[in-house]
Amino acid sequence: MSRRDEILAKIKGVPSIPAGAFQVLRLLQDPEVDVARLTKTIEYDPGLTTNLLRMANSALFGAPRSIGSVREAIVRLGINNLRKMLGPMAVAPVVRKPLRGYDLPAGALLDHAVAVAVGVDALARELRIAAPRETFTAALLHDIGKILLGTFIEVDADEIRKAAFDGKISFERAEEAVLGIDHAEAGAVLLESWNCPAEIAAVARWHHRPDEAPEGGNAIRLVHIADAISMMQGIGA
């Protein structure tokens, strides 16, 4: 079995984001989300409920009284704030892991994911273009392939770095040369196995090579640029 086949075979054993959290992500992509449905979905996840109430009652959203219901918290925070806050919380159980193969400590990939997601929103505003509604979630999950390769397969990053330096090629090309697959493709396959929307898997697959995407789109381009800026700032590198 080739290294590529070995990696693809192991994808089935990678635990998904909790179903409730994934459903929350899906709902928050809709700007006209049904608040009653969103409330019910969050209430089924004790971790999200606890964090949501903690945020709603924090000094940042200072209000005259403390609240104790999910619905009140949603109204106080607003959908835009919920999307930005609950998104990272939903993916945190997966992307907070240490990336042993990539020599990154626990939390580094989550910091990078959040930086790219926030960067995408800032870029869209600055460029005055419409970001597809799945862009924020796609930004949070764009590097999920690194979890697969770095934690569940524990690739040898030294071997990949050597191939990159010796061949004067990008790290992604070196991954492909050494493993038969890069983290972008691995991430897309993983997201597809989780029944993630095709648009989000496409961002993971093409975020390093937007010009090669069969169907271009602002989501891929925005994540590509925000990812590059984040890496240049040393967030997640």
Side-chain angles (χ1 to χ4, degrees):
M1 180 183 289
S2 69
R3 297 183 76 175
R4 176 186 173 85
D5 290 339
E6 176 192 350
I7 290 167
L8 292 174
K10 287 188 175 182
I11 285 178
K12 294 180 180 179
V14 178
S16 174
I17 293 171
F22 226 140
Q23 181 63 14
V24 169
L25 286 175
R26 288 174 182 270
L27 291 173
L28 287 174
Q29 289 179 55
D30 185 354
E32 298 180 1
V33 59
D34 183 333
V35 173
R37 187 179 177 191
L38 179 61
T39 300
K40 187 174 181 179
T41 304
I42 293 173
E43 286 175 339
Y44 275 108
D45 188 309
L48 287 180
T49 296
T50 300
N51 285 321
L52 176 64
L53 292 175
R54 183 182 297 122
M55 285 190 301
N57 289 311
S58 69
L60 181 63
F61 297 95
R65 67 182 182 86
S66 177
I67 58 176
S69 77
V70 169
R71 186 176 184 84
E72 285 182 300
I74 290 173
V75 172
R76 177 175 290 183
L77 295 173
I79 295 299
N80 284 336
N81 283 325
L82 278 177
R83 183 170 62 92
K84 294 175 182 178
M85 295 176 180
L86 285 183
M89 288 181 191
V91 303
V94 176
V95 299
R96 189 183 282 137
K97 299 177 183 293
L99 290 181
R100 293 185 287 272
Y102 287 87
D103 208 19
L104 288 175
L109 190 64
L110 179 60
D111 290 344
H112 176 69
V114 173
V116 174
V118 172
V120 158
D121 273 0
L123 281 168
R125 287 196 304 272
E126 184 70 21
L127 299 173
R128 297 180 182 178
I129 60 175
R133 64 184 187 182
E134 72 274 1
T135 308
F136 191 85
T137 299
L140 288 172
L141 296 171
H142 75 282
D143 265 346
I144 198 73
K146 287 185 176 179
I147 294 292
L148 172 65
L149 299 181
T151 298
F152 291 94
I153 297 178
E154 295 189 47
V155 299
D156 183 354
D158 288 338
E159 184 181 6
I160 296 171
R161 276 194 289 268
K162 185 176 187 304
F165 283 116
D166 291 349
K168 294 181 173 59
I169 56 177
S170 69
F171 191 82
E172 296 75 43
R173 298 285 186 182
E175 283 179 324
E176 193 171 7
V178 172
L179 305 173
I181 191 171
D182 67 1
H183 72 270
E185 183 184 359
V189 173
L190 179 62
L191 291 172
E192 288 165 358
S193 77
W194 290 350
N195 295 317
C196 204
E199 296 85 355
I200 293 177
V203 171
R205 176 67 183 88
W206 301 109
H207 70 275
H208 285 298
R209 308 174 187 179
D211 292 338
E212 296 180 23
E215 295 182 8
N218 283 344
I220 295 173
R221 297 188 182 98
L222 285 168
V223 171
H224 170 72
I225 297 169
D227 178 56
I229 293 172
S230 177
M231 294 296 283
M232 285 189 286
Q233 294 295 318
I235 305 174

